[in-house]
Short mmCIF file of all heavy atoms in Angstrom, two decimals:
data_model
loop_
_atom_site.label_atom_id
_atom_site.label_comp_id
_atom_site.label_asym_id
_atom_site.label_seq_id
_atom_site.Cartn_x
_atom_site.Cartn_y
_atom_site.Cartn_z
N VAL B 112 -10.36 14.08 32.23
CA VAL B 112 -10.43 12.69 32.69
C VAL B 112 -10.16 11.66 31.59
O VAL B 112 -9.93 10.50 31.89
CB VAL B 112 -11.80 12.35 33.33
CG1 VAL B 112 -11.95 13.02 34.67
CG2 VAL B 112 -12.95 12.69 32.41
N CYS B 113 -10.18 12.08 30.33
CA CYS B 113 -10.00 11.11 29.25
C CYS B 113 -8.54 11.05 28.82
O CYS B 113 -7.82 12.03 28.94
CB CYS B 113 -10.90 11.46 28.06
SG CYS B 113 -12.64 11.33 28.47
N PRO B 114 -8.13 9.91 28.30
CA PRO B 114 -6.75 9.80 27.83
C PRO B 114 -6.52 10.66 26.59
O PRO B 114 -7.44 10.86 25.80
CB PRO B 114 -6.61 8.32 27.50
CG PRO B 114 -8.01 7.86 27.22
CD PRO B 114 -8.89 8.68 28.12
N TYR B 115 -5.30 11.11 26.42
CA TYR B 115 -4.96 11.95 25.29
C TYR B 115 -5.41 11.31 23.99
O TYR B 115 -5.29 10.10 23.79
CB TYR B 115 -3.44 12.18 25.22
CG TYR B 115 -3.06 12.98 24.00
CD1 TYR B 115 -3.05 14.37 24.04
CD2 TYR B 115 -2.77 12.34 22.79
CE1 TYR B 115 -2.75 15.11 22.91
CE2 TYR B 115 -2.48 13.08 21.65
CZ TYR B 115 -2.47 14.46 21.72
OH TYR B 115 -2.18 15.19 20.60
N ASP B 116 -5.88 12.13 23.08
CA ASP B 116 -6.24 11.64 21.75
C ASP B 116 -6.04 12.78 20.77
O ASP B 116 -6.41 13.91 21.04
CB ASP B 116 -7.71 11.20 21.74
CG ASP B 116 -8.08 10.60 20.41
OD1 ASP B 116 -7.81 9.40 20.22
OD2 ASP B 116 -8.59 11.33 19.54
N ALA B 117 -5.45 12.47 19.61
CA ALA B 117 -5.13 13.53 18.65
C ALA B 117 -6.36 14.09 17.98
O ALA B 117 -6.35 15.22 17.49
CB ALA B 117 -4.16 13.00 17.60
N GLY B 118 -7.45 13.32 17.93
CA GLY B 118 -8.66 13.86 17.33
C GLY B 118 -9.51 12.77 16.72
O GLY B 118 -9.03 11.67 16.44
N THR B 119 -10.79 13.10 16.52
CA THR B 119 -11.72 12.13 15.94
C THR B 119 -11.88 12.46 14.47
O THR B 119 -12.67 13.32 14.09
CB THR B 119 -13.07 12.21 16.68
OG1 THR B 119 -12.81 12.10 18.08
CG2 THR B 119 -13.98 11.08 16.25
N TYR B 120 -11.08 11.81 13.65
CA TYR B 120 -11.10 12.04 12.20
C TYR B 120 -10.37 10.88 11.55
O TYR B 120 -9.77 10.04 12.23
CB TYR B 120 -10.44 13.37 11.84
CG TYR B 120 -9.06 13.56 12.44
CD1 TYR B 120 -7.96 12.88 11.94
CD2 TYR B 120 -8.86 14.42 13.53
CE1 TYR B 120 -6.70 13.04 12.50
CE2 TYR B 120 -7.61 14.59 14.09
CZ TYR B 120 -6.54 13.90 13.57
OH TYR B 120 -5.30 14.05 14.13
N GLY B 121 -10.44 10.84 10.23
CA GLY B 121 -9.65 9.86 9.48
C GLY B 121 -10.14 8.43 9.64
O GLY B 121 -9.41 7.49 9.33
N SER B 122 -11.38 8.24 10.11
CA SER B 122 -11.88 6.88 10.34
C SER B 122 -10.88 6.07 11.14
O SER B 122 -10.59 4.91 10.85
CB SER B 122 -12.21 6.19 9.01
OG SER B 122 -13.28 6.83 8.38
N LEU B 123 -10.30 6.70 12.16
CA LEU B 123 -9.26 6.05 12.95
C LEU B 123 -9.81 5.33 14.18
O LEU B 123 -9.15 4.44 14.71
CB LEU B 123 -8.25 7.11 13.44
CG LEU B 123 -7.45 7.84 12.37
CD1 LEU B 123 -6.73 9.05 12.97
CD2 LEU B 123 -6.45 6.91 11.72
N THR B 124 -11.00 5.72 14.64
CA THR B 124 -11.46 5.26 15.94
C THR B 124 -11.51 3.74 16.03
O THR B 124 -10.91 3.13 16.90
CB THR B 124 -12.86 5.85 16.26
OG1 THR B 124 -12.75 7.27 16.21
CG2 THR B 124 -13.33 5.43 17.63
N THR B 125 -12.26 3.13 15.12
CA THR B 125 -12.45 1.69 15.18
C THR B 125 -11.13 0.96 14.92
O THR B 125 -10.79 -0.01 15.59
CB THR B 125 -13.51 1.26 14.16
OG1 THR B 125 -14.70 1.97 14.47
CG2 THR B 125 -13.77 -0.22 14.22
N ARG B 126 -10.36 1.46 13.96
CA ARG B 126 -9.14 0.77 13.58
C ARG B 126 -8.05 0.89 14.62
O ARG B 126 -7.33 -0.06 14.89
CB ARG B 126 -8.61 1.35 12.26
CG ARG B 126 -9.46 0.96 11.07
CD ARG B 126 -8.85 1.49 9.80
NE ARG B 126 -8.87 2.94 9.72
CZ ARG B 126 -8.08 3.65 8.94
NH1 ARG B 126 -7.15 3.06 8.21
NH2 ARG B 126 -8.19 4.96 8.89
N PHE B 127 -7.89 2.08 15.19
CA PHE B 127 -6.71 2.30 16.03
C PHE B 127 -7.02 2.51 17.51
O PHE B 127 -6.20 2.23 18.35
CB PHE B 127 -5.89 3.46 15.47
CG PHE B 127 -5.38 3.17 14.10
CD1 PHE B 127 -5.85 3.86 13.00
CD2 PHE B 127 -4.45 2.15 13.90
CE1 PHE B 127 -5.40 3.57 11.72
CE2 PHE B 127 -3.99 1.85 12.63
CZ PHE B 127 -4.46 2.55 11.54
N PHE B 128 -8.19 3.01 17.83
CA PHE B 128 -8.55 3.07 19.25
C PHE B 128 -9.23 1.76 19.65
O PHE B 128 -9.11 1.33 20.80
CB PHE B 128 -9.49 4.25 19.53
CG PHE B 128 -9.82 4.40 20.99
CD1 PHE B 128 -8.86 4.86 21.89
CD2 PHE B 128 -11.06 4.05 21.48
CE1 PHE B 128 -9.15 4.97 23.24
CE2 PHE B 128 -11.36 4.16 22.82
CZ PHE B 128 -10.40 4.62 23.71
N GLY B 129 -9.90 1.11 18.71
CA GLY B 129 -10.61 -0.13 19.01
C GLY B 129 -9.73 -1.22 19.60
O GLY B 129 -10.05 -1.75 20.68
N PRO B 130 -8.61 -1.58 18.94
CA PRO B 130 -7.80 -2.68 19.49
C PRO B 130 -7.29 -2.42 20.91
O PRO B 130 -7.46 -3.30 21.77
CB PRO B 130 -6.66 -2.81 18.47
CG PRO B 130 -7.28 -2.32 17.18
CD PRO B 130 -8.20 -1.20 17.59
#
Side-chain angles (χ1 to χ4, degrees):
Chain B
V112 289
C113 295
Y115 176 88
D116 184 84
T119 309
Y120 51 74
S122 294
L123 297 168
T124 302
T125 302
R126 288 183 293 159
F127 298 112
F128 184 72

